[in-house]
Amino acid sequence: MSKLKNFKLITAGIAFAFLWSSASTATKIGLTSAQPFVISIFRFLFAGGIMLFVTHIVLQNRLPVKREWIQISIYGFLNITFYLGLYVIAMQQVSAGLGSLAVATNPVFIALMSAFWFSHKIKYKNVLSLLLCFIGVVLAAYPLLESSYATPLGIIILLVSMIAYSLGTIYYSRVNWNDLPILTINGWQTILGGVFLLPVLYATYDPKKNSFDTSFWASVCWLAIPVSIGAVQFWLYLLKNNPIKASYWLFLCPIFGFLIAHLIMKEPISIYTFIGVAFVVCGLYIVQKKIKL
């Protein structure tokens, strides 16, 4: 791998982790003003509309054809409807820090699912990296776990949403997209995923529980543009290069998530956080470099 490509991958990984980890805090802010599915629908339609305008009107990229529509629908259901639909519900019952912590479980699910279904070999360096990263995440989370609140139902919903995210990741990496631009895939999967949520929104909507104030629009705009557009574009770029290595960047999400939650939501941060960061960085270094283990 050339130094330039490696630099691009590392930059994309860090940018993805920061933006994606900010979603939990942004969601918590939005939930003070509106119901979860109201936030989700506005976010997905807004983000998807922008991406489709850019990819089809500005860049003149082609529309998906035939089987591609089915592939995008499946990916949108797993990655948007199922994962983010459940995630926004779970965030009503867990803290922003714990929401970010849950993201760190995805590399484990992705590695194990890939090994089980597609006979991917798990090398010793991958196991070591997983161990270091997981220890780092647990250390960084320790103060938060002592003071955060969570319900059993919230944790279960959060766990199921992470499984859906991992399934979506594996599905995306295994499908032949016929050189369909990433922006086109992301735009349509976001729109379709939002459309699939409309019946749930209709069934649960209560106008008394929604206030379209500054907090609501700030949350929606951040979730739509930096997260749904920016972070997902970086994520798909990383997946296209190597889905297994891409999954390891998810370990940085809790670290950034703790920092963001500390600055905005006043959640605790301590020496455990910094030690955890060191473990995560070591784990990422091992899996990104060509170390024979």
Side-chain angles (χ1 to χ4, degrees), residues 91-254:
M91 289 309 298
Q92 292 181 299
Q93 302 183 47
V94 301
S95 69
L98 286 175
S100 296
L101 174 63
V103 177
T105 64
N106 282 296
V108 179
F109 288 129
I110 292 170
L112 294 178
M113 288 177 184
S114 296
F116 181 75
W117 284 329
F118 307 118
S119 299
H120 285 173
K121 293 182 179 180
I122 302 179
K123 299 179 180 179
Y124 289 116
K125 74 172 184 178
N126 294 72
V127 175
L128 178 59
S129 179
L130 277 171
L131 182 61
L132 288 173
C133 289
F134 191 74
I135 291 174
V137 168
V138 171
L139 285 172
Y142 179 72
L144 182 65
L145 292 172
E146 284 191 318
S147 58
S148 295
Y149 70 89
T151 66
L153 179 60
I155 293 174
I156 291 173
I157 294 174
L158 198 59
L159 180 61
V160 174
S161 74
M162 294 303 121
I163 294 174
Y165 185 76
S166 299
L167 285 171
T169 297
I170 293 173
Y171 179 79
Y172 176 85
S173 66
R174 299 293 295 187
V175 167
N176 180 8
W177 294 101
N178 298 316
D179 295 321
L180 192 65
I182 291 176
L183 190 63
T184 301
I185 297 171
N186 192 14
W188 282 111
Q189 67 111 5
T190 301
I191 286 289
L192 292 174
V195 169
F196 295 152
L197 276 177
L198 286 175
V200 184
L201 173 64
Y202 178 78
T204 59
Y205 183 74
D206 183 352
K208 296 180 181 179
K209 296 181 179 180
N210 297 282
S211 176
F212 300 99
D213 55 15
T214 302
S215 294
F216 171 81
W217 288 112
S219 172
V220 167
C221 288
W222 182 266
L223 289 169
I225 300 175
V227 179
S228 286
I229 297 177
V232 175
Q233 287 297 115
F234 286 127
W235 176 241
L236 296 183
Y237 171 73
L238 293 167
L239 282 182
K240 192 173 183 180
N241 179 71
N242 187 312
I244 300 299
K245 286 188 176 182
S247 69
Y248 284 82
W249 288 106
L250 292 168
F251 276 114
L252 274 184
C253 290

Side-chain angles (χ1 to χ4, degrees), residues 14-45:
I14 294 174
F16 160 75
F18 173 78
L19 294 175
W20 197 244
S21 64
S22 69
S24 57
T25 296
T27 300
K28 293 292 287 187
I29 292 173
L31 286 170
T32 63
S33 301
Q35 291 177 281
F37 291 122
V38 173
I39 297 171
S40 296
I41 294 298
F42 271 87
R43 168 190 178 179
F44 300 147
L45 297 183

